[in-house]
């Protein structure tokens, strides 16, 4: 039993008239009748109950009607999906930090390149804090970014991974004072190396405000990698995403402070504009990322 036979059967089942069905299927009445007879012989069940005036479906015909519709819908969906995959072409620009390029994108980029070889990929690197702005300005199709706390007008965000924020200090003993108050890192006295802007800075500022603490900021820098480098040199205590530290060449020269405040973690993922998401090349990358997301 093939798809053509199922289509012929459905036409008869819907029209309930062999003559009109043969015209709709562009078949002679005898050819249509032979097709239905072959199907009935294969199933060993009558599909239609016929008399001189009416044609109705038998119980077996009702079951086959449901099956035939499902089968043909699945086939049409498969054809449409494969046709869409073949038409994904053009270009796709992606913005990410160096850390994201090394840790979050390799498998995703490789899967996309294999599945859509006709798409020209353009990868740009820069500060993570600029990721959303790059999308909003229209300079980039997609960006890897931390999920923003505030409103995100016209921006779509897809979480991929959750990353804790951690406090770090120099590994060398005595390189910097790490004061403690009530078994917790005292942020009013500890010399702090902080990012000038960005989500981690806003999270820390909010925590300090809630606890009515005036911080001892000794240095403000641009970029998480720069914070690790400054902490390594003994300039103070810093705060960075755990993933950045794991990828840093200086990771063995600093220590994570277990007695530090616990801040809300990052949710890192893809962001793009609603308009960009309508483009086949962007939508295809988005769907691949959804399949690999570890955020429930």
């Amino acid at each position: 039993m093939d798809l053509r036979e199922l289509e012929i059967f459905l036409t008869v089942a819907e029209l309930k008239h062999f003559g009109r069905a043969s015209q709709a299927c562009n078949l002679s009445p005898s050819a249509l009748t032979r097709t239905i007879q072959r199907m009935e012989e294969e199933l060993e069940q009558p599909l239609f109950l016929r008399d001189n005036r009416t044609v109705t479906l038998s119980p077996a015909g009702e079951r086959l009607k449901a099956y035939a519709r499902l089968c043909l819908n699945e086939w049409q969906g498969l054809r449409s999906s494969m046709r869409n995959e073949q038409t994904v072409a053009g270009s796709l620009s992606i913005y990410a930090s160096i850390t994201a390029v090394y840790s979050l994108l390799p498998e995703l980029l490789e899967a996309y390149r294999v599945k859509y070889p006709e798409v020209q990929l353009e990868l740009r690197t820069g500060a993570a804090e600029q990721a959303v702005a790059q999308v909003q300005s229209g300079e980039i199709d997609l960006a890897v970014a931390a999920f923003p706390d505030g409103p995100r007008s016209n921006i779509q965000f897809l979480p991929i991974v959750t990353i804790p924020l951690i406090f770090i200090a120099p590994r060398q003993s005595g390189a910097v004072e790490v004061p403690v108050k009530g078994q917790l890192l005292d942020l009013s006295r500890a010399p702090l190396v902080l990012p000038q802007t960005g989500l981690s800075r806003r999270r820390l500022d909010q925590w300090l405000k809630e606890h009515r603490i005036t911080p001892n900021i000794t240095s403000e820098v641009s970029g998480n990698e720069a914070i690790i480098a400054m902490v390594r040199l003994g300039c103070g205590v810093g705060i960075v995403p755990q993933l950045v530290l794991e990828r840093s060449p200086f990771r063995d020269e600093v220590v994570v402070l277990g007695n530090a405040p616990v801040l809300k973690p990052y949710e890192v993922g893809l962001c793009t504009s609603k308009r960009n998401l309508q483009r086949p090349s962007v939508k295809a990358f988005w769907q691949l990322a959804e399949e690999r997301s570890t955020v429930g």
Side-chain angles (χ1 to χ4, degrees), residues 226-257:
I227 293 176
I228 299 173
M230 295 287 283
V231 170
R232 165 183 173 264
L233 293 173
C235 298
V237 172
I239 178 173
V240 294
Q242 181 175 307
L243 184 62
V244 177
L245 178 62
E246 291 173 351
R247 293 287 174 173
S248 173
F250 303 132
R251 60 184 177 275
D252 294 329
E253 300 182 50
V254 300
V255 293
V256 177
L257 299 177

Side-chain angles (χ1 to χ4, degrees), residues 59-73:
E62 291 287 358
R63 293 182 63 184
L64 181 60
K65 181 180 179 181
Y67 169 80
R69 281 179 173 169
L70 178 63
C71 185
L72 290 172
N73 285 339

Side-chain angles (χ1 to χ4, degrees), residues 4-169:
R4 176 58 175 160
E5 289 177 334
L6 292 177
E7 290 174 343
I8 293 170
F9 165 76
L10 279 180
T11 302
V12 180
E14 291 167 1
L15 295 178
K16 292 183 173 62
H17 193 285
F18 274 66
R20 289 197 294 270
S22 65
Q23 292 176 358
C25 295
N26 197 27
L27 290 172
S28 67
S30 59
L32 183 139
T33 299
R34 286 197 300 271
T35 299
I36 297 300
Q37 288 174 342
R38 281 198 303 270
M39 297 175 72
E40 290 177 328
E41 290 172 1
E42 187 173 347
L43 293 172
E44 299 180 351
Q45 295 279 346
L47 298 175
F48 295 97
L49 304 176
R50 287 164 277 187
D51 57 31
N52 292 332
R53 303 181 61 183
T54 62
V55 175
T56 58
L57 283 168
S58 69
E62 291 287 358
R63 293 182 63 184
L64 181 60
K65 181 180 179 181
Y67 169 80
R69 281 179 173 169
L70 178 63
C71 185
L72 290 172
N73 285 339
E74 288 287 338
W75 169 245
Q76 290 167 0
L78 176 62
R79 288 184 62 192
S80 176
S81 174
M82 295 180 70
R83 191 179 298 117
N84 289 339
E85 288 181 7
Q86 292 173 352
T87 59
V88 175
S91 63
L92 176 66
S93 57
I94 303 173
Y95 179 94
S97 67
I98 294 294
T99 300
V101 170
Y102 287 150
S103 57
L104 300 180
L105 287 180
E107 292 184 3
L108 191 53
L109 286 172
E110 179 63 17
Y112 186 84
R113 187 186 64 82
V114 170
K115 194 169 186 179
Y116 307 105
E118 298 301 318
V119 178
Q120 180 180 350
L121 288 170
E122 178 186 352
L123 184 60
R124 302 184 195 176
T125 59
E129 294 82 4
Q130 298 299 317
V132 175
Q134 290 285 323
V135 171
Q136 290 174 325
S137 69
E139 293 290 324
I140 288 291
D141 299 325
L142 281 165
V144 178
F147 191 87
D149 289 330
R152 309 178 305 280
S153 177
N154 296 320
I155 293 293
Q156 297 289 100
F157 191 87
L158 173 65
I160 296 177
V161 64
T162 299
I163 302 173
L165 285 169
I166 56 175
F167 286 83
I168 58 174

